[in-house]
Amino acid sequence: QKEVEQNSGPLSVPEGAIASLNCTYSDRGSQSFFWYRQYSGKSPELIMFIYSNGDKEDGRFTAQLNKASQYVSLLIRDSQPSDSATYLCAVNPMDSNYQLIWGAGTKLIIKP
Amino acid sequence: NAGVTQTPKFRILKIGQSMTLQCTQDMNHNYMYWYRQDPGMGLKLIYYSVGAGITDKGEVPNGYNVSRSTTEDFPLRLELAAPSQTSVYFCASSYTLAGGQDEQYFGPGTRLTVT
């Protein structure tokens, strides 16, 4: 069974520091990787996607992908209290071009 | 542009009752999805649709049914509600399939309790 694993947290980070969120996946042939942010009681919203090995930067956010080790990470620089949320990792497996396999999410708390 | 809308926001059902969760999108997306999210868990795909008249099962379809008669609407039907269906239900849509790297846009969710 294809799985996506995340540390549930909570991960507590001081304001202004770098928050590092990690995700591992079981399907070696997975094609695309997504990070969604979900505030409490709200719906998920896309932060970033990545599909090639290496880093992808967008403002304060950097996604890192290592297919050989089967992990993807999200770095948040200069963390703000508004970044406090649950971050969901989602992976598109090789044998399906419609389905995303979702991790349970990591709860991030930014302390002022 | 309202995006993806869902009704109702909250609902309490008794065991054995039935209901329909409504989902509408105004972005002309061909692809639509229904997920459920249990506390502390990731999203589980219930059903999806790649266009009007075309639907297919996801990971957890048992106890649910869908239809897609128009591009805009994708209702989810619960028959004979059971406590195991207590969850938050999200409808989502996208321009292409998830593997096409396009963003899925989510509705605000329906919080369903079955007692």
Side-chain angles (χ1 to χ4, degrees):
Chain A
Q1 182 167 345
K2 301 180 180 67
E3 293 181 336
V4 174
E5 300 286 343
Q6 294 181 258
N7 188 320
S8 61
L11 174 66
S12 184
V13 174
E15 183 176 358
I18 296 175
S20 178
L21 304 162
N22 298 312
C23 170
T24 60
Y25 58 94
S26 61
D27 182 10
R28 182 169 290 277
S30 295
Q31 307 172 74
S32 310
F33 307 85
F34 302 80
W35 283 101
Y36 281 76
R37 178 176 63 198
Q38 186 175 26
Y39 292 114
S40 180
K42 302 295 185 183
S43 54
E45 54 182 346
L46 183 69
I47 298 293
M48 293 188 69
F49 68 84
I50 186 169
Y51 56 91
S52 298
N53 272 332
D55 296 358
K56 180 181 179 182
E57 187 174 316
D58 184 0
R60 296 187 297 112
F61 298 93
T62 299
Q64 298 176 319
L65 175 61
N66 185 323
K67 289 187 176 181
S69 300
Q70 294 176 239
Y71 82 79
V72 57
S73 61
L74 180 70
L75 301 178
I76 307 174
R77 291 182 299 280
D78 188 23
S79 297
Q80 303 296 310
S82 60
D83 294 326
S84 298
T86 296
Y87 288 80
L88 303 172
C89 174
V91 175
N92 172 229
M94 180 177 66
D95 63 352
S96 170
N97 60 359
Y98 69 87
Q99 189 163 347
L100 290 179
I101 308 298
W102 294 79
T106 298
K107 185 172 183 178
L108 176 65
I109 298 172
I110 306 300
K111 292 190 170 181
Chain B
N1 190 336
V4 181
T5 58
Q6 291 182 238
T7 57
K9 286 187 168 54
F10 303 93
R11 183 72 185 267
I12 298 175
L13 278 182
K14 294 189 183 303
I15 295 172
Q17 288 184 323
S18 300
M19 74 166 294
T20 298
L21 281 66
Q22 302 292 344
C23 175
T24 300
Q25 54 92 8
D26 63 0
M27 297 175 282
N28 201 32
H29 288 169
N30 281 344
Y31 305 93
M32 297 187 74
Y33 315 83
W34 273 107
Y35 292 97
R36 61 177 286 172
Q37 186 176 36
D38 298 327
M41 304 292 287
L43 297 167
K44 298 292 186 184
L45 184 65
I46 304 171
Y47 271 93
Y48 70 100
S49 170
V50 301
I54 306 170
T55 63
D56 207 346
K57 297 176 181 178
E59 293 178 79
V60 289
N62 291 344
Y64 308 94
N65 274 300
V66 295
S67 59
R68 183 97 182 271
S69 57
T70 66
T71 297
E72 294 78 21
D73 300 307
F74 190 40
L76 177 72
R77 177 80 177 164
L78 277 73
E79 304 282 2
L80 298 176
S84 60
Q85 293 178 303
T86 294
S87 190
V88 179
Y89 292 83
F90 289 105
C91 178
S93 70
S94 66
Y95 280 117
T96 63
L97 298 176
Q101 303 168 35
D102 281 347
E103 177 177 2
Q104 289 191 17
Y105 294 80
F106 285 80
T110 294
R111 189 174 297 273
L112 175 68
T113 302
V114 182
T115 62

